[in-house]
Structures are given as C-alpha cells and as structure tokens.
Amino acid sequence: MNAYDEYMQGIVKPMRSELTNAGFKELVTPEDVQDHMATAEGVSLIVINSVCGCAAGLARPAVIAAVEELETKPNNLVTVFAGQDQEATATMRGYFEEVPPSSPSIAIWKDDQLAYFIPREQIESNSMETIKDHLSGVLTQIVSS
C-alpha cells in the first residue's frame, strides 16, 4: 500500500465505522456484493457511502436515525464506499443500472429488484430530518408490503 492509500484509509475509517457501528455490513469487494445480492432475503437497505459533506451531515445520520426509529427493520443493512472500494461500488451499481450513479445515495432492494432509490440530488437539497422522514416512510411501506 502506498502512502496515499494509507492516508485515505485513515481519513475514511470514521466514515465507514459510522455505518458499521449502526449495524451495517460493509461490502468491500465485488465478491462481497455478489454474495450478498445472491443470498439476501427480504429487504436490503443499501447505502452508497461517500467522503463528501452531504454524506457526513445528511445521508449517514438520516439513514441511521431512520433505521433506529423503525418498528420493522429491513432484513439487511449493507454499504459500499464510493471512491474507496471502487470495484465493489461498481458491482453494486450494476444491480440498478436504470438509475445514474450518485454518491451518496440510498437504495432499497426487494424481491431481486430495485424497489426505491434516493439519489444525491435528493440528499444534498434537503435537511437531515426530511431525508430521515422520507426514508422511514418508504421503508415502512416496502418492509410491510
């Protein structure tokens, strides 16, 4: 590993652990993504994480708060890190090619298809509370249907 990679790993470690400490499983290789997508049952909440400010101040806190307040939670909480685990992120994005790549973003996967997607544009233009409430409402509908 070169000095740049080592530096970036140190920078993003707290950004990764914010989600993993909240129960998200990090998928860091294409094989991790493929294994999850091939075997996951029920609803998967997928966070495409990022180093940007809207991930730190909006996406991650909103996702964590939404999951905490749900009575019935998604079966699977997973995350890939755009810009860091590039192959894993590209593999995950390949499952929902119908939406343009954006990070951060939030995908809900159910019954082997994309059930809902929140792109960066809907994250950076809203408050954390608005994103949390939106995601909670959508997850409640999808998880209970």
Side-chain angles (χ1 to χ4, degrees), residues 25-89:
K25 179 181 180 186
E26 198 167 35
L27 308 176
V28 296
T29 67
E31 294 77 22
D32 290 345
V33 172
Q34 292 162 345
D35 289 347
H36 172 77
M37 298 303 273
T39 62
E41 295 184 9
V43 175
S44 290
L45 176 58
I46 303 162
V47 176
I48 299 180
N49 202 355
S50 172
V51 297
C52 73
C54 63
L58 299 172
R60 290 192 301 267
V63 167
I64 292 165
V67 170
E68 284 176 356
E69 77 178 23
L70 290 173
E71 284 188 32
T72 305
K73 302 191 183 320
N75 306 86
N76 309 284
L77 304 173
V78 297
T79 181
V80 294
F81 207 117
Q84 301 303 304
D85 303 320
Q86 294 176 358
E87 293 88 6
T89 303

Side-chain angles (χ1 to χ4, degrees), residues 81-135:
F81 207 117
Q84 301 303 304
D85 303 320
Q86 294 176 358
E87 293 88 6
T89 303
T91 302
M92 182 60 80
R93 286 178 172 153
Y95 286 91
F96 33 89
E97 292 178 321
E98 64 271 25
V99 295
S102 72
S103 55
S105 57
I106 304 161
I108 303 171
W109 187 263
K110 181 179 182 181
D111 299 329
D112 294 323
Q113 63 184 355
L114 184 64
Y116 201 80
F117 189 81
I118 302 174
R120 176 188 177 116
E121 295 76 33
Q122 291 178 21
I123 294 169
E124 65 187 353
S125 63
N126 285 295
S127 70
M128 191 283 285
E129 281 291 318
T130 300
I131 299 161
K132 175 193 67 86
D133 292 345
H134 178 188
L135 181 58

